[in-house]
Amino acid sequence: GLGKSQRRFVDCQNFEGKGPWWFGFPKQMQIDNRSWGKGCRGLIIRSYSAFFGGKSFSTPTFALFNAQRGDSRPNLKFILNPPPGVNSFDKGDWVDFHVEVVTFPRSANDYYGPNNSFREHLLQFGDTWKPFHREALGNDLSIDITVGGKLESNYPIIIMYDGVSNDIDFTIAGGVGAVPIRFNGMHTCKSDLSRIDKDGTPIFNIREFQEKHGSDFYQVEFDPKTQLYNHTFNIMLDAYTASSSKWSLHCYHDE
């Protein structure tokens, strides 16, 4: 609940326009004797649909509360609200939304990862609204599968294998950072994901990359219900200057 020190700052405001919608908290952090290593919080709503009282809604609604902390500084809280005028959740009502909680380094000095594109962005725009905007729009992906599977989710990218093709060929338009991609329904625990050049030649293989740089880019899970495997990769899409990239997953039918 809301304490006595908390007051409503924005009451039931609808996001405007088409999603994804985002909200960030730059320059808001706990004040103590340590100024380094504190993240910049926010969230991205990638999809939203709701049905209340016989009426459909396609835009999320939020409220903001300003809560005083022990150091007397403001502490803004974001609350995802029902649409204006909706005060109950009745039989037949429903809400379906995809929300992504994000935390960014406040400065490039606090980032120790390998993504140079993200580091350059932090050098210019750290602790501002722009990293949230970059993440929301940059990963509003468009996926085109030409053979081998069916798209189940744009972000994270989830592709269901058709069970018969030798390869899953697809193109990704957009992408920033380490984008997660999962292939469901694989017959074995082995596969090879490669980026494809314009002439159809493989120019980057994630398994070979993993052998040199560690195992953070690829994992396999066995699904006991389907007796099949799910293969998950992290691919650094903003490492490429082109607006889209072609990929191919080679599927093995036998161990």
Side-chain angles (χ1 to χ4, degrees), residues 20 59 99 124:
T59 305
V99 62
Q124 298 183 63

Side-chain angles (χ1 to χ4, degrees), residues 88-161:
S88 62
F89 195 81
D90 300 323
K91 183 178 180 180
D93 293 348
W94 54 266
V95 181
D96 182 27
F97 63 95
H98 175 191
V99 62
E100 177 186 351
V101 179
V102 295
T103 303
F104 299 119
R106 293 183 176 277
S107 71
N109 291 333
D110 290 338
Y111 177 65
Y112 304 99
N115 191 332
N116 290 328
S117 176
F118 182 52
R119 185 187 307 278
E120 289 298 321
H121 184 80
L122 288 175
L123 282 171
Q124 298 183 63
F125 306 115
D127 209 14
T128 71
W129 58 270
K130 290 192 175 183
F132 303 101
H133 180 264
R134 174 181 182 269
E135 185 77 14
L137 295 189
N139 281 330
D140 188 22
L141 307 176
S142 177
I143 317 296
D144 180 30
I145 302 173
T146 55
V147 68
K150 179 182 178 182
L151 184 66
E152 295 190 335
S153 171
N154 280 61
Y155 191 90
I157 304 171
I158 301 177
I159 297 174
M160 175 60 72
Y161 175 46

Side-chain angles (χ1 to χ4, degrees), residues 27-227:
K27 305 189 185 306
Q28 179 173 301
M29 66 178 181
Q30 183 177 355
I31 304 299
D32 54 23
N33 59 359
R34 179 169 63 88
S35 60
W36 49 268
K38 296 182 177 182
C40 196
R41 302 172 299 146
L43 60 84
I44 300 166
I45 303 172
R46 296 205 173 273
S47 63
Y48 178 91
S49 58
F51 186 84
F52 290 102
K55 185 178 178 180
S56 297
F57 299 87
S58 59
T59 305
T61 304
F62 68 95
L64 296 176
F65 290 85
N66 185 16
Q68 295 295 326
R69 304 181 301 190
D71 57 12
S72 75
R73 293 175 178 268
N75 182 28
L76 202 60
K77 294 184 177 181
F78 175 95
I79 298 177
L80 195 60
N81 271 7
V86 175
N87 299 309
S88 62
F89 195 81
D90 300 323
K91 183 178 180 180
D93 293 348
W94 54 266
V95 181
D96 182 27
F97 63 95
H98 175 191
V99 62
E100 177 186 351
V101 179
V102 295
T103 303
F104 299 119
R106 293 183 176 277
S107 71
N109 291 333
D110 290 338
Y111 177 65
Y112 304 99
N115 191 332
N116 290 328
S117 176
F118 182 52
R119 185 187 307 278
E120 289 298 321
H121 184 80
L122 288 175
L123 282 171
Q124 298 183 63
F125 306 115
D127 209 14
T128 71
W129 58 270
K130 290 192 175 183
F132 303 101
H133 180 264
R134 174 181 182 269
E135 185 77 14
L137 295 189
N139 281 330
D140 188 22
L141 307 176
S142 177
I143 317 296
D144 180 30
I145 302 173
T146 55
V147 68
K150 179 182 178 182
L151 184 66
E152 295 190 335
S153 171
N154 280 61
Y155 191 90
I157 304 171
I158 301 177
I159 297 174
M160 175 60 72
Y161 175 46
D162 66 11
V164 296
S165 299
N166 291 326
D167 301 283
I168 302 175
D169 296 337
F170 58 99
T171 300
I172 305 173
V176 294
V179 174
I181 177 169
R182 190 175 78 210
F183 301 90
N184 292 344
M186 305 296 292
H187 291 304
T188 74
C189 62
K190 184 180 179 181
S191 66
D192 283 305
L193 179 63
S194 299
R195 182 173 172 245
I196 307 300
D197 204 354
K198 294 179 180 180
D199 62 1
T201 304
I203 56 175
F204 172 83
N205 181 279
I206 195 107
R207 184 184 292 274
E208 295 175 358
F209 181 82
Q210 175 178 277
E211 291 175 354
K212 298 179 181 179
H213 299 277
S215 57
D216 295 334
F217 304 93
Y218 174 54
Q219 72 177 28
V220 175
E221 297 173 311
F222 179 70
D223 188 338
K225 292 183 179 180
T226 64
Q227 297 292 298

